[in-house]
Amino acid sequence: MLSVASAGQAYERAGVPWPGGQITYFNGAADQAWAVAQAVNAWNRSGARVRFVRTTEAHAQLRIVPFRSGKCYAGADATTGYVRGATIRVSRYHPTVTECGPYTTAIALTHELGHVLGLGHEPRTCATMNASGSFRGPTRCPQTKPWEWHCRLLQEDDVRGAVALYGGSVRPIGRQRGCELYRAIASPAQARATVDAVARTVALTFGRPSSPRIPAFLLRGQRGMESFLYARGRDACPGAPRNPHERHGWQTAPGEVEQVVERLPAAGRYCYAVWAYDEYGRPSARASTAWLDAT
Ligand SMILES: [Zn+2]
């Protein structure tokens, strides 16, 4: 539901605010309890003078329930503002479908609670009240890296909207937008560069790291191969992996030593840097490096 905002404010008001500064709720979607808690905490800490308070089903002003189909169903919906029988409907949890996982659901529920508070969709600036988004963020917000979720659940615009309805003040919102969904693959182990003066080649050796545990929903349908990328810098180590298309598939198993051989470069001092990539295409946080004196 949309409404027109007056000049100077971005958030959209769409419903009647609740009286008393408190909204009691019951969560009937037990499989999404984590996401519900995240969304409730985000609003309760926002600085707006309104709180969601958990209670029994019989006493709740707001009921959070699964969609009647009982299936994983992308999205959630909610009633708007202060109404009798206020309801949020949410998807069933599903471990391999992004839209039904805990991260997207936490963002979706924060959005739906915004509707319950009386906020409409915000089409212009970065806000959790943007009409759409994904686990990487609402559509108008800077998106997180593909291996992070947008854990900053409320944006300043959302809270300004709630403060306009309920009073209070916008608490400072942390700079951190993204939270890692899993730990990055380790750097390749013990890189070494060895010259073969007769063949005029350099043998670069390094250990293949073990595979990280990547959440299943990230990999659906696009599972790649683990790989590595190496680069050479003169008098300095290459700082960041460039040209990821130049990645190589491993010839060895995790824990074993990989070797690549290249032509000996012109005389000088060189640094080789090697990054490991996981099957989702995420590089190790750091490179493993090895120096070479070519004469
Ligand atoms: Zn909406």
Side-chain angles (χ1 to χ4, degrees):
M1 182 170 165
L2 281 171
S3 69
V4 180
S6 58
Q9 60 183 37
Y11 52 83
E12 303 274 359
R13 181 177 168 155
V16 179
W18 292 68
Q22 179 174 301
I23 302 165
T24 56
Y25 75 95
F26 171 76
N27 180 26
D31 56 351
Q32 298 285 16
W34 181 85
V36 170
Q38 301 297 309
V40 164
N41 288 342
W43 278 113
N44 284 355
R45 291 176 193 151
S46 68
R49 213 172 289 141
V50 62
R51 284 186 65 78
F52 291 99
V53 179
R54 198 172 165 173
T55 186
T56 59
E57 186 165 20
H59 291 94
Q61 294 165 297
L62 165 67
R63 291 172 68 249
I64 301 170
V65 297
F67 279 112
R68 198 142 13 125
S69 75
K71 291 190 191 130
C72 162
Y73 171 95
D77 63 24
T79 52
T80 304
Y82 175 47
V83 290
R84 188 181 282 274
T87 305
I88 291 177
R89 296 189 302 166
V90 63
S91 171
R92 284 281 189 203
Y93 171 84
H94 196 288
T96 60
V97 180
T98 317
E99 292 78 8
C100 304
Y103 307 104
T104 307
T105 304
I107 296 168
L109 284 170
T110 308
H111 174 104
E112 301 310 335
L113 288 177
H115 283 317
V116 169
L117 287 173
L119 297 175
H121 285 159
E122 167 46 53
R124 287 148 302 189
T125 68
C126 165
T128 301
M129 295 315 293
N130 290 159
S132 59
S134 74
F135 70 94
R136 294 181 59 192
T139 314
R140 306 284 295 195
C141 297
Q143 302 291 290
T144 66
K145 298 198 173 90
W147 48 84
E148 297 173 339
W149 73 288
H150 201 277
C151 57
R152 187 205 280 180
L153 287 174
L154 283 173
Q155 321 312 315
E156 221 176 280
D157 183 76
D158 305 306
V159 184
R160 275 195 283 123
V163 165
L165 292 173
Y166 296 94
S169 56
V170 181
R171 289 221 184 106
I173 291 173
R175 279 176 56 88
Q176 187 184 6
R177 231 170 242 295
C179 295
E180 278 197 330
L181 289 163
Y182 65 95
R183 285 186 66 170
I185 193 168
S187 309
Q190 294 178 319
R192 277 197 193 91
T194 315
V195 174
D196 182 330
V198 177
R200 304 293 297 165
T201 56
V202 181
L204 184 64
T205 58
F206 44 90
R208 178 176 175 179
S210 54
S211 309
R213 288 176 68 98
I214 303 174
F217 74 84
L218 288 178
L219 290 174
R220 58 168 175 169
Q222 52 178 354
R223 205 176 192 110
M225 296 275 283
E226 288 192 353
S227 57
F228 63 88
L229 176 72
Y230 66 97
R232 188 179 70 206
R234 191 159 186 163
D235 297 320
C237 294
R242 287 189 202 112
N243 307 325
H245 56 276
E246 287 172 9
R247 284 181 282 167
H248 303 270
W250 296 93
Q251 304 298 312
T252 53
E256 292 179 358
V257 174
E258 182 85 16
Q259 174 173 290
V260 291
V261 176
E262 20 166 75
R263 261 215 307 232
L264 190 65
R269 192 150 195 266
Y270 298 93
C271 176
Y272 286 89
V274 196
W275 289 268
Y277 279 77
D278 67 27
E279 57 189 334
Y280 188 54
R282 178 185 186 183
S284 52
R286 268 184 287 280
S288 190
T289 56
W291 283 93
L292 173 79
D293 284 305
T295 49

